[in-house]
Amino acid sequence: MELRQLRYFLAVAEELHFGRAARRLHMSQPPLSVQVARLEQEVGTALFDRSTRRVALTPAGRHLQARARHIVEELDTVRGEMRDFVDGLAGELTAGFVSSANYTVLPGVVQLFRASRPGVTLRLVPLTSGEQFDRLRDGTLDVGIVRDEVPQTPSDSSPALTTEVVFEERLVACLPVGHALAGRPEVTAEELMDVPMISYPRALMPGFVDRVAEVLGTSSRTQVVEEVVHQETALGFVAAGVGMTILPESVRQLVPPSIVVVPLAGSPTTRLLAARQERADDSPVHEAFIACLRDAAAQLG
């Protein structure tokens, strides 16, 4: 039993006239009659009572009509769903993000993507940049929102990653409110050298740690007194007077009154990047998410 035969049968069943059904199907009547006869032969019973005056459905024909409608409608639905998958209007996407993206692009991209792709299931996973790089390579993450440059591809067979800068902001020093540098309009890297520093593990935040080291200078004599994973933890140590930390300027939304945010001299910046496997460049769902990332960043000015 072929789908084409079912469509032919349904046209005749609805028109109850072979000529009208043939015109509706944009074909001549003899091939239509042949196909219906073959279908009757295959199911082993007559589907129509035919006479010179009328065509009527047999009981078997009425039963097949109900079942065939359901089958054809279901197949049409599946075809539409598959077109949506191809066009990036259905499916699912798992996106990782660094916690600092919460205060810049993440709210906007989620709103824009879900509005433009309601048929796509969006799963968000908070991860450090290093964790995202690993999961992008093993295929358990589709797109990552990472902080600063992606490291080079390992020498093994791991897939290469591609990145795109979507947002850039200034780096700032976070200092205890009573610190001598807290009242300055800006501070230099040299002035921060003797301030104890709360830093971050490079294995988990390679790009950001390298960027901070670059800003402070390769010969930095800064003493790292604590190494933490989350910026909220770092701010807690700063508030307790343990030392200072360097973070993206959007951290201003988090700091309590016990912390002062001071821009770094020279206005060095840190960047958020969209990362994915190079071979995923042609995915319409991935492209749609990254396009929403660009729009969300543009809305931030």
Side-chain angles (χ1 to χ4, degrees):
M1 188 181 299
E2 299 178 5
L3 178 61
R4 177 184 59 172
Q5 289 176 320
L6 291 179
R7 292 189 185 277
Y8 290 170
F9 162 74
L10 284 174
V12 178
E14 291 168 5
E15 297 291 344
L16 294 178
H17 191 283
F18 277 83
R20 288 196 298 270
R23 288 192 293 274
R24 171 176 157 182
L25 294 167
H26 306 289
M27 63 187 299
S28 60
Q29 181 175 334
L32 175 60
S33 298
V34 168
Q35 289 299 323
V36 171
R38 287 178 178 173
L39 180 60
E40 289 177 318
Q41 183 178 9
E42 184 173 346
V43 300
T45 187
L47 300 173
F48 296 99
D49 284 328
R50 302 168 176 83
S51 70
T52 56
R53 293 185 176 181
R54 62 189 290 271
V55 174
L57 284 165
T58 65
R62 287 193 294 273
H63 176 75
L64 181 60
Q65 182 185 33
R67 296 298 300 273
R69 278 175 177 165
H70 176 74
I71 291 169
V72 171
E73 289 172 0
E74 186 66 20
L75 285 172
D76 287 342
T77 298
V78 171
R79 283 181 173 174
E81 290 173 351
M82 295 312 298
R83 284 194 296 269
D84 285 346
F85 271 95
V86 172
D87 295 338
L89 300 175
E92 57 185 49
L93 182 139
T94 303
F97 64 95
V98 292
S99 61
S100 57
N102 274 309
Y103 312 106
T104 53
V105 299
L106 190 67
V109 69
V110 171
Q111 183 178 16
L112 290 170
F113 185 78
R114 285 181 170 158
S116 64
R117 295 291 189 278
V120 178
T121 300
L122 175 62
R123 295 187 176 90
L124 298 168
V125 187
L127 297 165
T128 66
S129 294
E131 291 169 332
Q132 290 185 66
F133 297 143
D134 291 340
R135 290 190 55 173
L136 285 165
R137 290 192 176 100
D138 68 22
T140 58
L141 202 66
D142 298 312
V143 180
I145 304 175
V146 300
R147 175 69 65 180
D148 292 305
E149 296 297 336
V150 62
Q152 295 296 312
T153 303
S155 57
D156 58 19
S157 58
S158 298
L161 303 181
T162 182
T163 61
E164 175 186 332
V165 176
V166 293
F167 186 71
E168 189 167 9
E169 59 183 315
R170 292 180 64 179
L171 283 169
V172 296
C174 299
L175 294 153
V177 68
H179 194 278
L181 297 175
R184 302 284 298 277
E186 64 178 22
V187 292
T188 66
E190 183 64 27
E191 290 171 322
L192 292 173
M193 290 302 175
D194 296 321
V195 184
M197 181 176 180
I198 294 94
S199 188
Y200 308 90
R202 188 182 184 282
L204 296 179
M205 307 174 191
F208 183 69
V209 171
D210 288 352
R211 177 61 179 146
V212 171
E214 179 186 6
V215 169
L216 294 179
T218 54
S219 61
S220 172
R221 62 178 184 271
T222 300
Q223 177 190 3
V224 174
V225 291
E226 296 288 348
E227 195 172 84
V228 300
V229 175
H230 302 292
Q231 60 185 12
E232 293 84 358
T233 306
L235 292 174
F237 279 117
V238 174
V242 175
M244 68 89 181
T245 193
I246 294 177
L247 287 170
E249 189 169 22
S250 53
V251 76
R252 289 182 185 275
Q253 301 178 55
L254 286 179
V255 296
S258 54
I259 293 176
V260 175
V261 174
V262 183
L264 298 181
S267 300
T269 60
T270 174
R271 305 186 297 178
L272 286 175
L273 301 94
R276 54 180 165 164
Q277 288 190 19
E278 283 187 351
R279 67 186 183 190
D281 284 354
D282 58 350
S283 167
V285 176
H286 298 179
E287 290 291 348
F289 185 81
I290 291 174
C292 290
L293 260 177
R294 298 188 196 107
D295 291 344
Q299 291 176 5
L300 295 171

